[in-house]
């Protein structure tokens, strides 16, 4: 801090303000309701298994453990010696060089300052030892090994020196430069997030005032043309004089809101689909409360998929529809198609899947939470409340990318006092929804844990549904870096159906791989007409294309959408317009 910026009166005022905010913080935390600790971490059984595996490894191969320790000591001494050299450098000492490309350590002081340099390098060294130790536990296998690796990484990420005020040069510099104002602003942000979530901590990722659903996000022109207790059906206004005869119905996930497909004009998949001459309907799911306690997956099939298809056919006067299922919406669409196949119902002419899982054997990092400790805690929680609060799902997904979605934003908000960015995708990410108690338990137990759908054990109306009965042609998009729906699992599961299969592997992740308009010029995708016997071979022998897969999909869907007819305006005599898009369900439970 320079003499020109230092102001003792301002500093004292800010220190007083910190005391006031601390009182609010304590009050907010005291209002936090009790919850099962297993909702926030694994049971002691996992730690016991990891400790037993480490002990067994130490007894079986003591030389390995000794060598590891000696290497750790040696590198620690080298790190300390390097720090000493920076404190009292010799005349011929080289200028410090950047030691890490890690975004957490961008400040030049991490390299030039002996204190910060030592702390950072010792942390990175210790992290490497912890991760390699867990990776080398041969007595720990399969699911237990995956869980131990994941939670070890969580601990390592949490203890990064960048996450603590006293070892974060950016936070220290800003506090000095602002006479403590950044700390006041940061604590104010912290208290705001606690108060907004009843004492639970959830970092606000995007400026909540930057976007308003229906005003500058989710603005595609259309109308709600059907409503029941499960969803509102939005029909979009055509932008072409003619449209394909077969309408398109989109089933988004109900863990988040539908407008991931209708963010801004330039990245709206819905606008693109409408511009390609398709009559587009989108399901906007309700955000359930305790009155939906007994709503299960079967209800989402009957009162969701079937009701939406019925309404779209009645409005358009057509006999068949095409459908899209995104994430869990794709899982639901598969269940519905299998049930329809048994009943001889062919009203869905083609299916498109976006990052959808039907085989949960290898469910990616989310699978580490699918164990008895978490499942029992979740069931206790939903049985008491009637639904799984959106906070738990949102927090779980965030910890899959903890540095990007938890610690990084927390440091900027709470230690630097910065306002969250105006970012449409992060705004949507924070607009999550609750899950009905029965549905949440079925989803986790029957699909994730027991994998009933792929093994022909899942039931609708008391009858087992089989994926092999599905003869509907499909176009499936999976994302190469998807940490929620791993692409190999997605393709493996959908391969069990009997219809014509079209697979696409997009670059990037669960969201960016899907929301990738042609105008962005980002990412690319692989196509291959060969059967998916081995995913790696399929990708290696496939053809890589630059840019978005959207136009390729539009050509495919056009071949399944019939002749051109006069463009249809939203609604009909039987289904009059109930409200303008984006409707009421999408905004009714928006957290402020």
């Amino acid at each position: 801090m320079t003499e020109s910026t230092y102001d003792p009166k301002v500093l004292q005022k800010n220190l007083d303000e910190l005391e006031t905010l601390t009182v609010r913080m304590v009050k907010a935390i005291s209002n936090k309701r009790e919850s099962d600790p297993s909702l926030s971490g694994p049971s002691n059984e996992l730690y016991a298994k990891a400790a037993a595996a480490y002990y067994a490894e130490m007894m079986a191969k003591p030389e390995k453990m000794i060598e590891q320790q000696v290497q750790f000591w040696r590198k620690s001494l080298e790190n300390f010696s390097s720090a000493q050299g920076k404190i009292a450098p010799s005349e011929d000492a080289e200028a410090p060089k950047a030691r890490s490309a890690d975004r957490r350590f961008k400040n030049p002081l991490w390299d030039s300052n002996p204190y910060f340099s030592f702390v950072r390098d010792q942390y990175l060294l210790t992290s490497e030892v912890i991760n390699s130790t867990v990776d080398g536990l041969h007595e720990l296998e399969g699911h237990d090994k995956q869980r131990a690796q994941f939670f070890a990484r969580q601990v390592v990420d949490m203890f990064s020196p960048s996450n603590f005020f006293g070892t974060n040069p950016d936070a220290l510099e800003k506090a000095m430069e602002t006479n403590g104002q950044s700390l006041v602003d940061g604590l104010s942000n912290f208290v705001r997030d606690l108060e907004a979530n009843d004492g639970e901590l959830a970092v606000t990722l995007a400026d909540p005032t930057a976007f308003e659903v229906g005003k500058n996000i989710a603005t595609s022109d259309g109308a709600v043309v059907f409503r029941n207790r499960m969803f509102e059906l939005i029909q979009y206004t055509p932008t072409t004089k003619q449209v394909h005869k077969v309408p398109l119905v989109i089933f988004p996930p109900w863990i988040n809101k539908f407008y991931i497909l209708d963010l801004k004009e330039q990245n709206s998949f819905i606008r693109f689909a409408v511009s390609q001459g398709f009559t587009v309907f989108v399901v906007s799911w309700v955000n359930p409360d305790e009155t939906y306690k007994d709503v299960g997956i079967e209800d989402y099939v009957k009162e969701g998929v079937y009701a939406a298809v019925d309404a779209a056919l009645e409005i358009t006067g057509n006999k068949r529809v095409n459908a899209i299922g995104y994430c869990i919406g794709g899982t639901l669409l598969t269940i519905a198609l299998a049930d329809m196949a048994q009943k001889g119902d062919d009203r869905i002419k083609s299916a498109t899947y976006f990052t959808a899982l039907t085989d949960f054997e290898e469910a990616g990092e989310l699978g580490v939470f699918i164990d008895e400790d978490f499942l029992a805690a979740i069931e206790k929680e939903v049985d008491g409340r009637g639904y799984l609060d959106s906070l738990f799902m949102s927090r779980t997904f965030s910890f899959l990318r903890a540095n990007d979605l938890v610690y990084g934003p927390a440091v900027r908000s709470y230690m630097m006092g910065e306002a969250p960015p105006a970012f449409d995708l992060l705004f949507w990410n924070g607009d999550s929804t609750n899950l009905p108690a029965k549905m949440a338990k079925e989803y986790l137990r029957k699909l994730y844990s027991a994998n009933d759908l792929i093994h022909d054990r899942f039931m609708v109306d008391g009858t087992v549904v089989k994926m092999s009965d599905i003869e509907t042609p499909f176009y499936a998009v999976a994302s190469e870096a998807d940490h929620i729906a791993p692409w190999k699992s997605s393709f493996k599961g959908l391969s069990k159906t009997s219809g014509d299969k079209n697979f696409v592997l997009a670059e990037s992740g669960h969201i960016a791989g899907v929301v990738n308009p042609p105008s962005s010029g980002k990412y690319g995708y692989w196509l291959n007409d060969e059967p998916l016997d081995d995913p790696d071979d399929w990708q290696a022998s496939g053809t890589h294309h630059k840019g978005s897969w959207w136009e390729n999909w539009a050509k495919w869907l056009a071949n399944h959408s019939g002749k051109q007819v006069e463009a249809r305006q939203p609604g009909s005599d039987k289904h009059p317009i109930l409200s303008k898009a984006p409707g009421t369900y999408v905004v009714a439970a928006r957290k402020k």
Side-chain angles (χ1 to χ4, degrees):
M1 181 185 300
T2 65
E3 291 185 7
S4 61
T5 60
Y6 175 66
D7 187 329
K9 292 183 179 179
V10 173
L11 180 60
Q12 186 58 52
K13 176 178 177 295
N14 285 332
L15 292 175
D16 292 341
E17 181 65 19
L18 287 175
E19 291 186 15
T20 302
L21 287 168
T22 300
V23 173
R24 284 177 55 195
M25 177 186 69
V26 172
K27 181 179 179 181
I29 293 175
S30 67
N31 290 332
K32 177 183 176 182
R33 68 182 184 85
E34 292 186 9
S35 60
D36 194 316
S38 293
L39 284 170
S40 302
S43 67
N44 291 331
E45 182 182 0
L46 178 63
Y47 298 108
K49 287 181 178 179
Y54 181 80
Y55 182 76
E57 192 81 12
M58 184 171 63
M59 292 295 99
K61 299 177 181 178
E63 70 283 356
K64 175 183 174 182
M65 295 298 176
I66 293 173
E67 179 184 6
Q68 187 180 58
Q69 284 298 313
V70 170
Q71 288 294 324
F72 177 69
W73 294 339
R74 179 182 65 79
K75 292 180 179 179
S76 295
L77 284 173
E78 289 176 350
N79 185 32
F80 180 72
S81 176
S82 176
Q84 291 288 90
K86 291 177 181 177
I87 294 174
S90 62
E91 293 183 359
D92 59 346
E94 295 183 4
K97 297 179 180 179
R99 297 281 298 279
S100 173
D102 195 315
R103 287 184 296 176
R104 295 173 294 180
F105 307 118
K106 291 192 301 182
N107 191 304
L109 287 175
W110 289 112
D111 295 306
S112 62
N113 184 285
Y115 167 67
F116 292 119
S117 180
F118 174 77
V119 169
R120 177 203 61 190
D121 290 348
Q122 195 62 30
Y123 164 73
L124 293 175
L125 172 60
T126 305
S127 301
E128 181 182 351
V129 170
I130 292 173
N131 288 327
S132 63
T133 298
V134 175
D135 291 343
L137 295 178
H138 300 298
E139 295 294 322
L140 208 60
E141 298 179 343
H143 185 58
D144 287 333
K145 180 71 166 287
Q146 183 187 21
R147 297 188 88 209
Q149 290 171 321
F150 176 84
F151 289 112
R153 189 169 72 250
Q154 295 299 311
V155 173
V156 166
D157 290 344
M158 180 176 64
F159 282 102
S160 168
S162 60
N163 294 340
F164 300 91
F165 181 72
T167 51
N168 187 316
D170 292 298
L172 289 167
E173 286 180 329
K174 190 164 187 181
M176 293 287 286
E177 292 168 358
T178 63
N179 287 291
Q181 184 62 50
S182 61
L183 298 181
V184 173
D185 294 340
L187 186 56
S188 179
N189 292 342
F190 182 71
V191 172
R192 173 204 63 201
D193 288 347
L194 284 174
E195 292 176 340
N197 294 285
D198 300 321
E200 294 278 0
L201 183 58
V203 187
T204 299
L205 297 178
D207 183 355
T209 65
F211 299 99
E212 184 177 351
V213 176
K215 296 295 184 180
N216 59 353
I217 198 170
T219 59
S220 292
D221 188 29
V224 175
V225 292
F226 175 84
R227 180 187 295 127
N228 65 14
R229 68 166 183 156
M230 300 297 294
F231 70 93
E232 288 182 330
L233 186 66
I234 301 169
Q235 182 182 358
Y236 288 93
T237 304
T239 57
T240 56
K241 292 182 179 181
Q242 290 190 314
V243 295
H244 290 280
K245 184 178 181 181
V246 181
L248 173 65
V249 183
I250 302 177
F251 298 97
W254 55 94
I255 293 174
N256 287 94
K257 305 292 180 65
F258 81 89
Y259 64 87
I260 183 59
L261 298 175
D262 189 31
L263 293 171
K264 297 178 181 177
E265 290 187 22
Q266 58 268 33
N267 61 358
S268 170
F269 178 82
I270 288 172
R271 285 179 185 268
F272 173 81
V274 171
S275 75
Q276 300 301 300
F278 300 115
T279 301
V280 178
F281 293 87
V282 173
V283 166
S284 176
W285 299 104
V286 72
N287 190 353
D289 57 21
E290 63 278 1
T291 64
Y292 287 76
K293 179 178 181 178
D294 296 322
V295 168
I297 293 177
E298 186 173 294
D299 298 296
Y300 276 87
V301 171
K302 294 179 178 178
E303 298 181 56
V305 175
Y306 293 165
V309 170
D310 287 342
L313 294 180
E314 289 169 353
I315 290 170
T316 61
N318 207 52
K319 294 182 179 180
R320 306 182 78 186
V321 303
N322 292 314
I324 293 178
Y326 192 168
C327 189
I328 189 175
T331 310
L332 177 71
L333 178 59
T334 304
I335 294 171
L337 285 170
D339 184 52
M340 294 171 79
Q342 281 198 340
K343 298 173 179 176
D345 184 347
D346 66 350
R347 289 177 300 158
I348 296 181
K349 187 176 182 181
S350 77
T352 297
Y353 295 101
F354 295 162
T355 61
L357 281 182
T358 53
D359 184 350
F360 294 82
E361 181 178 354
E362 297 178 7
E365 290 190 338
L366 194 60
V368 303
F369 296 97
I370 311 302
D371 211 287
E372 190 56 38
D373 47 6
F374 279 105
L375 294 179
I378 289 172
E379 289 176 339
K380 180 180 177 182
E381 168 75 15
V382 300
D383 285 342
R385 178 171 283 212
Y387 60 90
L388 182 62
D389 192 288
S390 61
L391 174 69
F392 294 111
M393 290 299 294
S394 178
R395 188 164 59 188
T396 298
F397 284 122
S398 291
F399 272 101
L400 297 182
R401 294 174 54 201
N403 286 326
D404 293 331
L405 297 178
V406 181
Y407 301 121
V411 166
R412 291 189 292 273
S413 181
Y414 305 151
M415 288 203 297
M416 306 288 289
E418 296 177 1
F423 187 12
D424 57 348
L425 182 57
L426 289 180
F427 177 86
W428 167 84
N429 187 74
D431 195 9
S432 52
T433 62
N434 305 322
L435 301 180
K438 182 179 179 180
M439 175 266 146
K441 290 190 288 186
E442 289 177 336
Y443 182 50
L444 297 174
R445 285 284 185 188
K446 294 183 179 181
L447 294 177
Y448 262 99
S449 183
N451 208 6
D452 281 350
L453 182 58
I454 202 70
H455 293 301
D456 296 339
R457 294 192 296 258
F458 195 88
M459 301 181 74
V460 176
D461 273 339
T463 302
V464 171
V465 295
K466 299 179 180 180
M467 288 182 60
S468 57
D469 289 340
I470 301 173
E471 296 181 353
T472 308
F474 71 74
Y475 186 105
V477 180
S479 295
E480 187 182 25
D482 196 332
H483 59 286
I484 295 174
W487 76 271
K488 296 177 185 179
S489 295
S490 178
F491 282 11
K492 179 183 175 183
L494 291 172
S495 293
K496 192 172 181 180
T497 65
S498 302
D500 180 57
K501 303 173 180 63
N502 294 268
F503 293 108
V504 176
L505 177 60
E507 292 176 334
S508 196
H510 193 70
I511 302 300
V514 173
V515 184
N516 182 32
S519 60
S520 71
K522 289 184 177 180
Y523 314 124
Y525 60 98
W526 284 266
L527 293 176
N528 195 336
D529 294 332
E530 297 298 319
L532 187 68
D533 296 323
D534 180 272
D536 292 317
D537 291 344
W538 181 92
Q539 183 181 12
S541 62
T543 303
H544 181 267
H545 299 263
K546 293 181 179 180
S548 173
W549 51 265
W550 286 15
E551 291 171 335
N552 179 270
W553 165 81
K555 292 178 182 178
W556 177 87
L557 189 65
N559 292 329
H560 294 273
S561 298
K563 64 181 182 179
Q564 296 279 317
V565 298
E566 185 178 350
R568 308 167 173 116
Q569 296 301 315
S572 66
D573 291 341
K574 184 176 181 180
H575 294 283
I577 291 175
L578 303 177
S579 69
K580 292 186 63 176
T584 59
Y585 281 5
V586 72
V587 296
R590 169 74 193 170
K591 284 189 176 182
K592 303 297 183 184

